[in-house]
Amino acid sequence: MSTKSPAGRQETILLVEDDLGLRLAMTKTLRSEGFRVEIAGTGKDGLEAALAQKPDLVLLDVMLPGMNGFEVCQRLREADPEVPILMVTAKGEEPDKVRGLRLGADDYIVKPFGVAELCARIDAALRRRRRAEVETEVLQIGDITADFRAHTLSRRGQPLETTALEMRLLRYFLRHEGTLLPRQRILDAVWGADYFGTDRTVDNFINRLRAKIEDDPKNPRHLVTVRGAGYRFTRAPSADGD
């Protein structure tokens, strides 16, 4: 099983499980397979860790104290439509599986399960993510080329000075093209839920990004403001300016 991303880094799995014995056993197994493992014992801690740490996959128990796995899945999927979520449960009933899948889970595994099945399901979910990452490594926005492998922006072949955070923000917009994104959602997804920023933080970085990708930053056509609601991004120039 490959445990490397397309960029060659070690992949991280966030394990959200309240059973200490099972958590220890699964952590040992996953680390022996070459993954980096982060752990959380409650739904609240798991959601905060997922938003802050940006794991490559989340292993999410359903029966968690406080915030259950269904609620975590729903809230995480709202903030991050891309991260694979594999739900782990002692309940094998069809309604529970359907509920989790409809809330955004990618797959289900029912306790008790074997190591081979766990690893096979993780590998299948990560393969889908790796393919998606490769397909979106280099993207065109008008005459702007965004190369996420090299973390560079260029206009007609001429490099533009940019930062890692600006590239992360741009990639987030590209992955949510056409979607209305409130400022708080952007802040949680790009900066992390534990970052104490404000709407102004987002606005400032939007302005910096517009200065690089828009022909006329004062009248944007790609990254537009939806007044009172947030921002919407499209690679095709929008008829509605800021």
Side-chain angles (χ1 to χ4, degrees):
M1 181 195 304
S2 172
T3 61
K4 298 288 185 180
S5 73
R9 61 175 175 77
Q10 184 183 29
E11 288 172 315
T12 299
I13 292 177
L14 173 62
L15 172 60
V16 188
E17 169 63 62
D18 64 323
D19 184 307
L20 178 59
L22 184 57
R23 191 166 70 227
L24 291 173
M26 292 176 69
T27 298
K28 182 178 179 181
T29 295
L30 294 170
R31 285 176 176 162
S32 72
E33 292 290 332
F35 293 105
R36 180 173 176 264
V37 182
E38 299 292 338
I39 58 175
T42 69
K44 179 178 180 293
D45 289 346
L47 179 62
E48 290 176 354
L51 293 175
Q53 298 172 16
K54 314 294 185 193
D56 296 285
L57 181 141
V58 178
L59 272 174
L60 178 61
D61 189 29
V62 170
M63 303 299 291
L64 293 167
M67 186 188 300
N68 65 37
F70 293 124
E71 186 177 353
V72 174
C73 179
Q74 181 178 23
R75 293 176 63 176
L76 177 55
R77 186 55 78 218
E78 289 172 354
D80 187 346
E82 307 296 334
V83 63
I85 301 173
L86 177 56
M87 300 199 79
V88 182
T89 180
K91 295 183 176 182
E93 290 84 357
E94 185 177 9
D96 289 310
K97 292 182 179 180
V98 171
R99 181 183 178 190
L101 293 170
R102 283 180 174 171
L103 289 173
D106 294 273
D107 200 359
Y108 240 99
I109 186 166
V110 179
K111 304 173 187 175
F113 49 80
V115 171
E117 181 186 3
L118 175 65
C119 292
R121 291 184 183 275
I122 289 172
D123 193 38
L126 287 174
R127 277 201 308 271
R128 292 190 291 270
R129 181 182 176 92
R130 292 170 194 138
R131 283 197 296 268
E133 286 184 352
V134 169
E135 289 168 359
T136 59
E137 285 303 308
V138 181
L139 290 172
Q140 202 71 27
I141 309 162
D143 58 5
I144 298 292
T145 301
D147 187 337
F148 294 100
R149 292 171 301 189
H151 295 281
T152 60
L153 278 180
S154 60
R155 183 188 295 271
R156 304 186 192 96
Q158 296 301 310
L160 301 170
E161 186 176 345
T162 189
T163 67
L165 185 55
E166 289 167 351
M167 292 297 291
R168 193 158 69 241
L169 179 62
L170 178 59
R171 186 163 203 162
Y172 182 72
F173 276 114
L174 283 163
R175 286 178 169 174
H176 299 80
E177 186 172 357
T179 301
L180 173 59
L181 298 169
R183 289 173 174 81
Q184 188 60 50
R185 179 173 170 184
I186 297 169
L187 195 65
D188 288 346
V190 178
W191 278 263
D194 59 346
Y195 180 81
F196 295 102
T198 66
D199 287 355
R200 194 62 191 158
T201 303
V202 176
D203 294 341
N204 287 337
F205 272 84
I206 294 293
N207 289 336
R208 289 166 58 173
L209 198 54
R210 281 173 171 165
K212 293 165 185 177
I213 68 171
E214 299 283 359
D215 291 330
D216 182 358
K218 293 184 178 180
N219 296 285
R221 292 292 181 264
H222 296 289
L223 186 45
V224 299
T225 302
V226 180
R227 296 199 180 279
Y231 294 98
R232 181 181 287 114
F233 176 85
T234 177
R235 277 184 277 179
S238 170
D240 301 321
D242 195 15

